[in-house]
Amino acid sequence: MTEPTDTAAIAVALAELRGTMAEGFATVNGTLNLLTQRHEQTDRRIDNEAARVDQLATALDTIEKGETERQKRIDSRLDTLERNRWPLPSVAALVGVTGLGLSLWQFAAK
């Protein structure tokens, strides 16, 4: 038979092993909790960045299409300026016809 001292030593060793195991599991559990928390924070940041990217893409599409208020004002001003520009081709034709008429008049007056 085994001696009682050996049984007591085994019981002490088992108790120490149980404490070491519990401590190890607690450490692993804490590490897993920390990793879970970091994962959730990273997911939130990724979602926020994805939302920002969507907003920027929408803004870029608006700018590319020329639908911003500033672009609409500029287009309106440009249209107004083009409508009100001085009709240079018409004036040039009128000056040419007038010059031809004066030349013919002078030629006929001689």
Side-chain angles (χ1 to χ4, degrees):
M1 276 191 106
T2 61
E3 298 178 15
T5 56
D6 289 336
T7 306
I10 291 172
V12 169
L14 284 175
E16 288 176 4
L17 183 62
R18 188 177 305 128
T20 303
M21 292 287 290
E23 181 182 334
F25 283 135
T27 303
V28 169
N29 199 10
T31 303
L32 288 175
N33 288 338
L34 178 64
L35 289 174
T36 302
Q37 180 185 10
R38 287 182 181 170
H39 175 71
E40 290 170 358
Q41 289 174 349
T42 303
D43 279 349
R44 281 194 300 271
R45 275 190 283 172
I46 287 172
D47 290 343
N48 290 341
E49 290 299 319
R52 280 190 67 218
V53 167
D54 289 343
Q55 289 174 346
L56 291 174
T58 302
L60 183 61
D61 287 342
T62 302
I63 289 170
E64 286 177 347
K65 292 177 184 176
E67 296 176 352
T68 64
E69 290 302 317
R70 182 177 182 199
Q71 288 171 324
K72 289 178 182 177
R73 283 193 315 267
I74 289 172
D75 287 343
S76 174
R77 287 181 63 203
L78 183 62
D79 290 341
T80 303
L81 288 171
E82 286 176 347
R83 272 195 313 272
N84 295 332
R85 70 178 181 183
W86 197 28
L88 289 177
S90 301
V91 171
L94 184 61
V95 168
V97 169
T98 303
L100 178 64
L102 286 175
S103 297
L104 291 175
W105 181 66
Q106 284 182 350
F107 181 72
K110 285 187 183 183

